[in-house]
Amino acid sequence: MRWLIVSDLHYALPQFDWLMAAAPRFDLVIFAGDALDAGSIVDYGAQTVVVRKYLERLAAMTRVIFCTGNHDLDARDDSGEKIARWVGDLQRHDIACDGDALVIGDTLYSVFPWWDGPVVKEKLLAQLAADAGRREGLRWIWAHHAPPRGSPTSWSGKQSFGDAELVEWIGRYKPDVVISGHIHQSPFVADGSWVDRLGETWVFNAGRQYGAPPAYIVVDTALQEALWISAMGVQSVRLDAPLQRPIAALHALPDWFDPPPVPAF
């Protein structure tokens, strides 16, 4: 199976257009949060309408997983916590979203919301416990917008902005892979990275760059290889071997990977 991993597109429509062109080449698109941009001059409501259309069109081409990030929160629930109300019915378009768990082949995918307070956090913890009961014999993949604190995938160049509680959850439940975003700079700064390993758990964060294409990660689960592709170049790790640093840049793409086209604008 071949995954395409992106995050933090922040309403950059050329990057969404690239994603549309790329998606048919992959078995699964995992979008790890922040589709919207809280700082944009475009009205939040308008952003949600446009992004929903993109996600629905993506789901007509391939399987799609989308977890919300902090920029995707557009409302408050009865307790006053911020939530992403606009994603509430994405499941009817066959898009796996916050709170969902799905099994594809030999893999369980859990999709977690951005939590802003105790109510949503308790729902997330309940989902973790429930999904842990389903993972026997399966690989377990988490989509969770914030990376773990203390990891190179959460390093901004000045400090770690990751989720400290996620570190504890990874230690307790030991998922195979955590797919995140949130910290845009991590892959591009000294002591940061697009990939980490906590025990046996791989952690990915593609980072954010401007223009099309976005920075992205491709994982081939059969070949057990992950590629990070960005304006900084290409790096690769083997998922069936220990992670070794520094990760060397590739001078050419591997033979198995044909890069998606960049749409003309």
Side-chain angles (χ1 to χ4, degrees):
M1 193 171 193
R2 197 163 291 180
W3 308 338
L4 172 61
I5 298 170
V6 297
S7 67
D8 299 281
L9 300 194
H10 287 287
Y11 202 66
L13 299 188
Q15 294 188 350
F16 278 94
D17 289 335
W18 176 88
L19 186 58
M20 294 295 300
R25 295 170 177 243
F26 297 92
D27 303 299
L28 176 64
V29 171
I30 304 175
F31 193 146
D34 278 1
L36 307 183
D37 186 358
S40 174
I41 63 172
V42 180
D43 176 76
Y44 236 35
Q47 289 186 49
T48 63
V49 170
V50 172
V51 169
R52 280 181 62 95
K53 289 295 184 183
Y54 274 111
L55 293 175
E56 291 166 15
R57 290 169 61 198
L58 281 172
M61 300 176 181
T62 190
R63 291 181 181 267
V64 178
I65 289 173
F66 175 70
C67 72
T68 53
N70 52 305
H71 278 256
D72 298 316
L73 309 182
D74 67 334
R76 291 186 182 272
D77 64 14
D78 293 339
S79 70
E81 289 184 18
K82 289 184 178 179
I83 59 171
R85 183 162 291 155
W86 65 277
V87 305
D89 65 344
L90 284 179
Q91 291 90 341
R92 70 186 180 91
H93 299 285
D94 294 325
I95 299 166
C97 196
D98 295 353
D100 286 338
L102 67 157
V103 175
I104 305 174
D106 62 353
T107 304
L108 170 65
Y109 299 85
S110 294
V111 192
F112 299 111
W114 179 271
W115 59 276
D116 188 54
V119 174
V120 178
K121 180 184 175 183
E122 284 304 312
K123 292 179 181 177
L124 188 157
L125 290 172
Q127 182 186 354
L128 272 172
D131 291 356
R134 302 177 56 191
R135 64 95 48 103
E136 185 175 356
L138 300 171
R139 287 183 298 187
W140 196 9
I141 314 302
W142 296 1
H144 183 281
H145 181 59
R149 184 171 297 178
S151 165
T153 58
S154 65
W155 180 246
S156 73
K158 295 182 179 180
Q159 67 183 91
S160 177
F161 287 102
D163 187 331
E165 304 218 32
L166 179 62
V167 178
E168 192 272 326
W169 299 338
I170 290 172
R172 185 192 312 174
Y173 290 108
K174 298 177 174 54
D176 295 280
V177 178
V178 175
I179 296 169
S180 62
H182 190 47
I183 312 303
H184 302 169
Q185 309 95 326
S186 295
F188 304 104
V189 297
D191 300 321
S193 184
W194 61 277
V195 61
D196 194 17
R197 200 167 190 187
L198 302 181
E200 296 301 308
T201 300
W202 289 95
V203 180
F204 295 124
N205 174 8
R208 186 189 183 198
Q209 69 183 23
Y210 295 97
Y216 63 100
I217 296 168
V218 174
V219 175
D220 191 300
T221 60
L223 297 176
Q224 288 288 285
E225 186 170 0
L227 293 176
W228 176 65
I229 301 169
S230 76
M232 293 280 287
V234 181
Q235 293 182 355
S236 171
V237 295
R238 295 286 315 174
L239 303 181
D240 54 0
L243 175 61
Q244 297 185 355
R245 301 193 188 278
I247 303 171
L250 296 182
H251 298 294
L253 291 169
D255 291 340
W256 61 264
F257 180 63
D258 182 23
V262 178
F265 299 106

